[in-house]
Structures are given as C-alpha cells and as structure tokens.
Amino acid sequence: MGDNIFNELVKFTIKQSCVDDEPIKRTTKLYEDLGIYGDDAVEFIIAFGKAFDVDVSEFKAADYFKGDGIDILGLNKNNKELTVGHLEKAILAGRLDEEVINF
C-alpha cells in the first residue's frame, strides 16, 4: 500500500487522537493503543471519512469502541479491533465496513 497514503493517515491520526508520543504503525489499535472511545471515536471516524473521502455509513462503531462513562457491570465490551492498517485499506476501498476490515 502506498507510503503517501499511510503517511497522510499517520498525520491525521496524530492530529485527531492528540497522541504524539505513540509511534503510529499499521498495527496500532485505535482503542487499545490510542485510547479512542465513545463520542471521540465517532467523531474520529466521521472526520476520517471526510478527510479521505471514505464512506463510513456502514461502519458500526459500537462493535469496535467502548462508550463513554463507567461500565461497572462490564456490559460495554468491544470484541473487535480497528487498526490504522484497517483505515488504510478503507481509504483504498473507498469505504469502511466489515468486508473491508476483514479482507
């Protein structure tokens, strides 16, 4: 995959996540490594779609990101990982959905 696309994605990710002390690699996980969750995750995905002209309408953020607030019962679990590499594939495909992520 193109280095130019990846470099632009890294710049975008650093700017949107406000994390500049974490090296951004294709394997970097948005939730686990960068701490993106809740409303910030939704805003991140929307901004990602706009910045890279990616259709995010079929992306189910709740499957990948925990919500805001305290989860004392442990009900707010996300079982799926979303990485910077997945976002790179979405840019190339023009959409972010399960098919692109799992390809």
Side-chain angles (χ1 to χ4, degrees), residues 50-66:
K50 289 180 181 176
F52 295 98
D53 196 25
V54 172
D55 178 6
V56 297
S57 63
E58 297 297 318
F59 180 73
K60 295 177 179 39
D63 291 347
Y64 294 88
F65 301 103
K66 289 188 179 183

Side-chain angles (χ1 to χ4, degrees), residues 29-77:
K29 300 171 191 164
L30 298 185
Y31 173 73
E32 290 86 353
D33 297 332
L34 301 179
I36 300 172
Y37 65 93
D39 291 341
D40 290 340
V42 173
E43 291 174 15
F44 181 96
I45 294 299
I46 291 170
F48 165 76
K50 289 180 181 176
F52 295 98
D53 196 25
V54 172
D55 178 6
V56 297
S57 63
E58 297 297 318
F59 180 73
K60 295 177 179 39
D63 291 347
Y64 294 88
F65 301 103
K66 289 188 179 183
D68 290 324
I70 299 171
D71 183 23
I72 58 174
L73 299 177
L75 300 174
N76 192 5
K77 295 184 179 186

Side-chain angles (χ1 to χ4, degrees), residues 17-36:
S17 68
C18 299
V19 174
D20 59 2
D21 59 344
E22 178 78 29
I24 306 295
K25 301 177 269 184
R26 287 178 174 90
T27 57
T28 300
K29 300 171 191 164
L30 298 185
Y31 173 73
E32 290 86 353
D33 297 332
L34 301 179
I36 300 172

